[in-house]
Amino acid sequence: MPKINLLDKNVSELIAAGEVIERPASIVKELLENAVDSGATNVTIEIRRGGKSLIRVTDNGCGIAAEDVPKAFLRHATSKISDQDDLDRIGTLGFRGEALASICAVAKVELLTKPAEQEYGTRYLIQGGEEVSLEPYGCSAGTTILVRDVFYNVPARLKFLKKDVTEANSIQSIVDKIALSHPEVSFQMLREGKQVLHTPGNGDLFAVIYAVFGREFATSLMKVDSNHKVKVTGFTSIPTHTRSNRSMQHFFINGRYVKSKTCIAALEEAYKGSIMVGKFPACVLELSLPLDSVDVNVHPAKIEVRFSDEQAVFEAVYFAVKQAIAKDNQLTQQPEQPQVKPHIERVVFHPRQQEQTTLPKKAIFQQSKPDYHSEPEPSINQENYQFLSRSSFQKKQPEQQPVSRLEDRIILEEPLPEEPKPESVPTSEPLLQQQETVVMESQQPPEIRLIGELFQTYILAEIDGMFVAVDKHAAHERILYEELKAQNDHPMERQLLLSPIRLTLSREEYGCVLDHLEQIQHMGFLAENFGDSSILIREIPLVLDQHNCQEVFEDLINNICQNKKDITPKVLDDLYHSMACKAAIKANDHNTPEELYQLLQRVWTDESIRYCPHGRPVILTFTKERFEKQFGRT
């Protein structure tokens, strides 16, 4: 029977520290919360090697009295609360009194602090939970904490830390959130001696958003200001600027960053009908609630909260965002302009006659297609168009002058003249000639009669005595999906963009991109670091165009972030689905008869194209007997 042992102080401190300090970002979070609670208006954060070797946080807050310095590093020692009733109305970011005790248990800590009313400050050294020195020290008012060699005495935890850049991005994500929640505080962050963030600290939330996320993201937002039951202020994205995930949704309750399902549901419900299904808005919203109506002591990281009246919170967020959307719609609506007959004309040279003709302005914007009135129409059975692995089709140059349908029909009905047989060595291989004849017959295309297109979505045709209907989007999507899978072992073909696309990502997504640049390049995207949580996309997969590549790239990064280390086969398959779906021709797209014919021929001759990647049928067939039965002919 095992004996129950009482753990010594060192082991118990390490266990307790493991619940609070997960990585260097956890240390920065606790120190910044203490700095804000101290009333600081200027906070500087400096990290080296992702916070593993050095974390320095300096503030100009109230400081710590000399006699209270050793007490501050004891577990459950805090100045935020004093009795049980205070837990019902917590107004500070920290309150448990575990942060400093947990930090000094796993790192080497140096504290420099001085209240404004005292003449001298205090320097305190503590390592592994054990005090090293305590002495008077000359320093400025406020507090500076230096944390060195994180997890130096817990090698198992140190081994599981990520790369320096990943840990640094995680720290910067924490700094961003606290800066957004307190625009009245000026935050400055240094990474490896280089400044990466500096907020003005003038209380202007928009200025903080601009400093954290950049101009592109900030200019895509609209203001939110409402006081329906609960005061809601901040910014949310205009309906035309959405994302494929929720990574840019930020909610703050009384200055604390939280993840609230209630707020998320209210936000997305307000956008219902204004954005596409599967898209998500971005936001930076601050909710001001009475302290006794929210419980923040329900999660170890204090990131989840409970509300005494969730319905009131839901309605507050919903109506605030809904009001902002309605106001934005009013601003963007333009008065109807009277219709004026266009007078602008354009000179066009006909490729055959080289004569000058004029087209009205409207014709300039119409989609280019073959002129079936000015020149003979080619036979649809001739392969004048080549099906490409893209969302468009490219016309091949005919080897000879195209003939009309009537001429084509006459030529096909008349027997071809016999060609003079060249002098050759006689052969006695009739079997070989029979085999060649069989091969030629098997390579003949099926007898396809294109009927037309239904609802600009379904291709209708008669093939080998059967009525056939094909979903053109599903068919093209399946073809592209199979071609993408066939390129799995080789880098995907790319195309260069004339103007690179700049994307602003969350810190987590930004770190994933930098850690997986080679895998991303293998998938057809050439991305480079642009700094400030932004990247530039210079090349995209050949099957995509500039309009849908951003959404596919966001899906790729989201899948990488979920898998963390490597791109799994499931991630690849999901990516191929997404790329094929967005690159394929869509319902209501205009396609020429030649394009429809080529797509129909590919589907009919390739038996693997029967279902789209999502499982929907591509082709439906109906026999003549089935039709005659419906009309009562049998």
Side-chain angles (χ1 to χ4, degrees):
M1 182 176 180
K3 184 179 180 180
I4 298 176
N5 299 315
L6 184 63
L7 297 177
D8 57 28
K9 177 185 175 182
N10 184 36
V11 178
S12 62
E13 289 288 341
L14 291 176
I15 295 175
E19 299 175 357
V20 180
I21 308 303
E22 179 185 0
R23 58 196 306 186
S26 305
I27 297 176
V28 174
K29 176 179 179 295
E30 299 293 344
L31 296 181
L32 287 181
E33 288 181 350
N34 286 341
V36 172
D37 289 339
S38 70
T41 58
N42 290 279
V43 180
T44 301
I45 308 98
E46 181 181 0
I47 61 172
R48 294 189 181 276
R49 290 195 57 213
K52 300 175 186 176
S53 63
L54 173 66
I55 297 174
R56 181 175 64 88
V57 177
T58 303
D59 65 70
N60 62 344
C62 62
I64 306 175
E67 61 272 15
D68 290 335
V69 169
K71 191 188 304 182
F73 287 85
L74 298 179
R75 192 162 298 278
H76 306 304
T78 180
S79 61
K80 316 296 176 58
I81 60 175
S82 57
D83 54 34
Q84 179 179 349
D85 295 336
D86 291 339
L87 292 175
D88 298 331
R89 49 180 184 275
I90 298 174
T92 56
L93 298 179
F95 55 88
R96 292 174 179 161
E98 297 179 330
L100 294 180
S102 299
I103 294 172
C104 70
V106 296
K108 302 174 183 178
V109 179
E110 179 181 358
L111 172 68
L112 305 174
T113 184
K114 174 184 174 298
E117 62 274 10
Q118 291 187 359
E119 183 178 1
Y120 295 99
T122 304
R123 180 173 182 264
Y124 185 63
L125 296 179
I126 183 170
Q127 298 180 5
E130 298 295 332
E131 179 180 319
V132 177
S133 66
L134 174 64
E135 58 185 358
Y137 197 80
C139 57
S140 59
T143 301
T144 298
I145 296 184
L146 296 93
V147 181
R148 298 182 175 90
D149 300 333
V150 178
F151 296 132
Y152 78 100
N153 55 348
V154 192
R157 297 293 296 274
L158 182 63
K159 180 178 64 176
F160 286 97
L161 293 181
K162 307 296 182 181
K163 297 179 181 178
D164 292 352
V165 63
T166 303
E167 296 295 341
N169 287 331
S170 180
I171 291 174
Q172 191 165 351
S173 177
I174 295 293
V175 177
D176 291 345
K177 292 178 175 62
I178 296 182
L180 291 169
S181 63
H182 292 83
E184 73 281 1
V185 181
S186 176
F187 290 90
Q188 182 181 11
M189 182 175 178
L190 304 174
R191 288 176 58 170
E192 310 300 333
K194 179 182 178 181
Q195 179 178 292
V196 294
L197 176 67
H198 191 192
T199 62
N202 57 0
D204 187 358
L205 178 58
F206 184 81
V208 180
I209 295 175
Y210 194 102
V212 171
F213 296 118
R215 176 181 178 274
E216 182 180 359
F217 178 80
T219 54
S220 68
L221 302 176
M222 55 186 176
K223 190 173 183 180
V224 176
D225 191 355
S226 174
N227 198 9
H228 179 81
K229 296 184 179 180
V230 176
K231 184 174 180 58
V232 181
T233 59
F235 295 87
T236 186
S237 59
I238 59 179
T240 55
H241 288 69
T242 55
R243 299 177 60 85
S244 59
N245 53 54
R246 300 184 177 94
S247 63
M248 297 298 283
Q249 295 180 2
H250 302 86
F251 296 96
F252 304 94
I253 308 293
N254 297 333
R256 183 191 306 276
Y257 173 76
V258 298
K259 291 183 178 180
S260 171
K261 294 181 180 180
T262 302
C263 295
I264 293 174
L267 174 71
E268 296 178 2
E269 185 67 23
Y271 275 90
K272 186 172 291 185
S274 300
I275 62 177
M276 294 178 58
V277 178
K279 295 295 184 178
F280 303 96
C283 71
V284 179
L285 295 178
E286 167 74 24
L287 283 71
S288 301
L289 293 168
L291 297 181
D292 57 356
S293 65
V294 55
D295 184 7
V296 301
N297 192 23
V298 296
H299 190 272
K302 296 173 286 188
I303 201 171
E304 296 180 5
V305 296
R306 291 177 182 171
F307 304 108
S308 60
D309 190 353
E310 289 201 12
Q311 185 63 30
V313 175
F314 181 93
E315 292 178 359
V317 176
Y318 175 81
F319 286 111
V321 176
K322 202 73 175 176
Q323 180 181 355
I325 295 175
K327 185 177 181 180
D328 180 73
N329 290 337
Q330 294 177 357
L331 294 176
T332 55
Q333 285 179 353
Q334 300 293 336
E336 295 184 0
Q337 300 292 338
Q339 295 183 357
V340 181
K341 186 175 181 180
H343 297 286
I344 302 177
E345 295 183 346
R346 182 183 181 188
V347 178
V348 179
F349 292 92
H350 195 278
R352 292 181 177 273
Q353 301 176 357
Q354 296 293 328
E355 296 179 354
Q356 287 190 359
T357 58
T358 58
L359 293 177
K361 183 179 180 181
K362 179 180 179 182
I364 299 175
F365 302 97
Q366 292 180 346
Q367 184 171 358
S368 176
K369 56 184 179 180
D371 188 358
Y372 296 105
H373 300 286
S374 60
E375 59 184 23
E377 182 177 357
S379 172
I380 201 169
N381 290 324
Q382 295 179 355
E383 294 186 358
N384 296 316
Y385 284 76
Q386 179 184 5
F387 182 76
L388 300 180
S389 59
R390 300 198 55 183
S391 59
S392 61
F393 299 82
Q394 180 177 349
K395 189 172 181 179
K396 295 195 302 183
Q397 296 294 335
E399 297 179 358
Q400 58 185 3
Q401 194 74 9
V403 296
S404 66
R405 292 182 182 273
L406 180 60
E407 295 171 346
D408 187 22
R409 184 164 61 252
I410 293 175
I411 292 176
L412 292 177
E413 290 176 355
E414 294 180 356
L416 297 175
E418 295 184 359
E419 298 181 358
K421 296 182 179 180
E423 295 182 1
S424 59
V425 179
T427 177
S428 58
E429 296 180 356
L431 181 59
L432 179 60
Q433 296 178 2
Q434 292 178 4
Q435 291 178 351
E436 293 178 352
T437 304
V438 173
V439 172
M440 292 295 295
E441 291 178 354
S442 63
Q443 291 180 351
Q444 291 180 357
E447 184 180 350
I448 299 177
R449 186 173 71 87
L450 180 65
I451 299 174
E453 191 176 7
L454 181 64
F455 308 132
Q456 284 191 302
T457 304
Y458 306 100
I459 308 172
L460 307 181
E462 180 184 349
I463 306 178
D464 294 340
M466 301 182 67
F467 174 69
V468 176
V470 172
D471 185 334
K472 65 179 184 180
H473 170 72
H476 197 197
E477 182 181 3
R478 184 69 188 195
I479 293 172
L480 295 179
Y481 172 73
E482 294 297 336
E483 292 180 353
L484 290 173
K485 286 181 60 179
Q487 300 178 16
N488 188 23
D489 296 333
H490 306 282
M492 198 171 295
E493 296 182 0
R494 303 194 302 267
Q495 56 179 322
L496 179 66
L497 296 176
L498 294 178
S499 299
I501 300 175
R502 179 182 176 182
L503 292 182
T504 301
L505 307 174
S506 66
R507 296 297 179 187
E508 292 78 8
E509 294 172 331
Y510 181 62
C512 285
V513 172
L514 298 183
D515 290 341
H516 297 84
L517 286 177
E518 293 184 2
Q519 293 92 328
I520 292 173
Q521 185 173 349
H522 182 82
M523 300 308 300
F525 291 94
L526 182 60
E528 65 180 38
N529 184 12
F530 196 67
D532 295 334
S533 193
S534 298
I535 63 165
L536 284 182
I537 301 178
R538 296 194 177 275
E539 297 182 11
I540 62 175
L542 188 62
V543 298
L544 298 178
D545 57 38
Q546 191 167 355
H547 300 289
N548 52 36
C549 68
Q550 179 175 343
E551 186 176 354
V552 174
F553 186 82
E554 290 176 352
D555 291 340
L556 172 62
I557 299 307
N558 186 40
N559 287 331
I560 292 178
C561 290
Q562 292 177 357
N563 290 270
K564 301 297 183 183
K565 293 184 178 180
D566 199 3
I567 302 180
T568 63
K570 183 181 182 305
V571 172
L572 287 176
D573 199 57
D574 292 342
L575 180 65
Y576 293 152
H577 284 182
S578 178
M579 295 177 65
C581 182
K582 292 174 176 60
I585 56 177
K586 306 294 189 299
N588 299 319
D589 283 356
H590 173 76
N591 300 108
T592 64
E594 288 77 11
E595 295 170 349
L596 299 178
Y597 177 83
Q598 290 297 319
L599 184 59
L600 184 66
Q601 186 182 44
R602 174 71 181 272
V603 172
W604 184 258
T605 56
D606 191 345
E607 295 183 357
S608 64
I609 309 174
R610 292 298 176 262
Y611 295 92
C612 78
H614 304 288
R616 293 187 292 108
V618 168
I619 182 172
L620 299 177
T621 58
F622 304 87
T623 62
K624 180 181 179 181
E625 291 76 10
R626 182 176 176 182
F627 267 92
E628 291 182 341
K629 184 176 180 180
Q630 295 295 327
F631 285 99
R633 287 181 172 270
T634 57

